[in-house]
Every structure is written in C-alpha cells, then in structure tokens.
C-alpha cells in the first residue's frame, strides 16, 4: 500500500502451554514474520521468526519471553520443544523482558502472511497494522485510505466501505475524556483520604493535650510541638507511600498482562 513502509498482521490469544510437567495459560501473540525486521528487538539467544517458518508444512516454531522463563524458573533454551495446545513447537529464540509488542505476551508464533497478497485467508482474529513512511502523518495518509475504500466498494459492489487509521496505542476518541474523568476521581479520593487523615491527626492531638501541656511547661515551644507532630505524620506518610508504590506495581503488572492491551 502506497504510504506504508510495511504492512503486517497480528493476533493475540491465550494458549495452554506445557513445559515438561508444568502447564500454564499463557498470553500468545501471532505476528507476520516479515514484520520482525521492523521492530526494535534483538533476541537474547537464537533468532527471530522468518517468513519460511509460516510456510505450510514447516515444523512449528515459537519465540519465548525471558520474562516468562524468569517467573517460572523453567530451564528452557533454544532448540527445546514445548507443547502449545496439543502441538509441539521448537523454541528458536528468547526475547528480552522489555520487548512487549503487541501486548506483553509470553510467546510469539508466526502467522502465514500469504493473505497480504490475497493468496490465503487469515484467521478471524488477525488484525492489520502498518508503519508509515518517514515524514508521512496519519491525516496525510487518510485520503489514500479513502481512495482504497472506494476501490474496494467498486470491486465488491458494496454500498459502503470505510477504512479508518488509528495509532496503535490510540484508545479511541473517548480516551481524553476518560482520562480526565479518571484523574478527577482519583483526585477526589485523595482529597477525601487527606480529610480523613487530618481528622484522625486532630483527634489524636486532642487526646495528647496533657502530654503537650507537660512538654510546654518543660520549655518546649509551640514550633517544636508542631514540628514533632509533622515529623510523625511524615514518617507515617513515607511508610504508606512505600506500601502504595508496591501495590501499584503489582496492579500494573496484572493490568499490563490483559489481552489486547497495547504495549
């Protein structure tokens, strides 16, 4: 297609993967092998997928994420065989932890890309993606897609055909409004929490009135008493922030493992 450096296909699904006696439900990505040279990744060991890997009759192969190996402590190297579903696959490469295209999968399989030339019918879950030519913007590309849609409408005698291009990580027209609502809700929750904590500190300070009176009688200034209370709140806040950070990281790991979530 004019205007695209590369056009490929991808799919995501969950697969039952057996490595020795262990069996896991693992997020698996299918990718057209010719797309790999356009992605910023180099295998830790082995190689990437090749177009010949997706040809009919070829042995089944797969790429495995080093992140999955570290999590499971599985002793798998290039050349070993794992079972995906009921089909044995040979591992031809191990990819680094920071490569998460398209949605942080644990496995990558080749997709037969003959459908790009009209010689094969892809699976119903295969989606197209493209890489724009250098200097070409999505608004400049849209008229070309409109013209292509018109050609498809004429060729297939359809009443309407529309091709719309969106950024791979674009979550749709509601993304900005949804983000603003989420931020507003989080800010409101934080304000409520701050008010509750303030009330608790105030109540605790009233309960320590006798202690403060004794300390003031012994020469402690008002600034010293306030600084002492502020230091206590700061220490509690640091501990709470630490637990919150760890909890947020755990939640984000689960969120990023969701199917079809862009990298």
């Amino acid at each position: 297609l004019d205007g695209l450096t590369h056009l490929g296909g991808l799919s995501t699904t969950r697969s039952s993967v057996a490595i020795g006696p262990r069996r896991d439900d693992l997020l698996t990505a299918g990718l057209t092998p010719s797309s790999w040279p356009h992605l910023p990744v180099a295998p830790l060991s082995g190689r990437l997928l090749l177009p010949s890997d997706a040809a009919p009759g070829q042995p089944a192969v797969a790429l495995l994420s080093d992140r999955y190996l570290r999590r499971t402590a599985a002793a798998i190297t290039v050349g070993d065989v794992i079972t995906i579903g009921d089909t044995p696959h040979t591992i031809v490469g191990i990819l680094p932890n920071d490569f998460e295209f398209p949605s942080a999968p644990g496995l990558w399989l080749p997709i037969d890309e003959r459908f790009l030339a009209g010689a094969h019918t892809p699976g119903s879950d295969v989606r197209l993606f493209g890489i724009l030519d250098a200097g070409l913007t999505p608004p400049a590309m849209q008229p070309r897609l409109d013209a292509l849609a018109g050609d498809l409408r004429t060729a297939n005698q359809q009443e309407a055909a529309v091709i719309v291009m969106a950024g791979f990580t674009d979550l749709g027209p509601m993304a900005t409004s949804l983000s603003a609502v989420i931020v507003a809700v989080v800010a409101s929750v934080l304000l409520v929490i701050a008010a509750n904590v303030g009330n608790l500190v105030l109540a605790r300070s009233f309960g320590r009135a006798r202690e403060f009176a004794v300390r003031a009688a012994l020469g402690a200034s008002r600034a010293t008493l306030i600084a002492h209370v502020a230091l206590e709140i700061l220490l509690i806040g640091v501990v709470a922030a630490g637990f919150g950070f760890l909890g947020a990281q755990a939640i984000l790991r689960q969120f990023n493992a969701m199917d079809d979530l862009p990298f």
Side-chain angles (χ1 to χ4, degrees):
L1 180 62
D2 184 33
L4 293 181
T5 300
H6 173 71
L7 181 66
L10 60 86
S11 64
T12 54
T13 186
R14 300 202 75 87
S15 303
S16 177
V17 180
I19 300 179
R22 181 189 180 95
R23 182 169 288 273
D24 293 313
D25 180 45
L26 197 61
L27 182 63
T28 304
L31 194 64
T32 45
S34 61
S35 302
W36 285 100
H38 300 275
L39 300 176
V41 61
L44 297 176
S45 59
R47 61 172 177 83
L48 300 174
L49 297 176
L50 303 173
S52 58
D53 293 328
Q58 292 298 311
V61 298
L63 298 174
L64 194 60
S65 169
D66 183 60
R67 178 177 56 255
Y68 172 73
L69 294 181
R70 291 179 181 274
R71 188 174 75 243
T72 61
I76 296 294
T77 59
V78 173
D80 289 344
V81 175
I82 65 174
T83 301
I84 305 175
D86 296 322
T87 305
H89 286 67
T90 301
I91 299 299
V92 296
I94 306 295
L95 297 191
N97 297 336
D98 56 357
F99 182 71
E100 300 180 338
F101 184 84
S103 52
L107 275 170
W108 290 264
L109 304 177
I111 293 178
D112 189 344
E113 55 190 41
R114 290 177 297 164
F115 73 91
L116 295 173
H120 178 66
T121 301
S124 59
D125 60 339
V126 173
R127 297 176 294 164
L128 291 179
F129 72 96
I131 300 175
L132 290 174
D133 289 340
L136 187 63
T137 62
M141 183 64 188
Q142 190 59 51
R144 307 184 190 188
L145 297 178
D146 294 338
L148 177 61
D151 295 339
L152 291 175
R153 183 170 58 248
T154 301
N156 297 297
Q157 298 181 350
Q158 296 177 344
E159 295 183 359
V162 178
I163 301 178
V164 179
M165 179 178 61
F168 191 84
T169 56
D170 185 3
L171 299 180
M174 296 296 294
T176 302
S177 301
L178 183 61
S179 299
V181 171
I182 292 175
V183 171
V185 170
V186 171
S188 300
V189 172
L190 288 177
L191 288 175
V192 172
I193 292 174
N196 289 335
V197 171
N199 287 332
L200 290 174
V201 171
L202 183 61
R204 186 169 183 268
S205 298
F206 277 123
R208 299 170 64 187
R210 179 174 297 180
E211 173 194 341
F212 291 151
V214 172
R215 293 177 61 185
L218 294 176
S221 65
R222 177 174 297 183
T224 301
L225 297 177
I226 293 175
H228 179 75
V229 174
L231 180 60
E232 290 180 349
I233 297 173
L234 180 62
L235 291 176
I236 295 173
V238 169
V239 173
F243 281 110
F245 176 78
L246 295 177
Q249 293 298 311
I251 293 173
L252 284 175
R253 280 195 295 270
Q254 296 298 321
F255 189 70
N256 288 331
M258 293 173 60
D259 293 3
D260 294 331
L261 183 70
F263 65 95

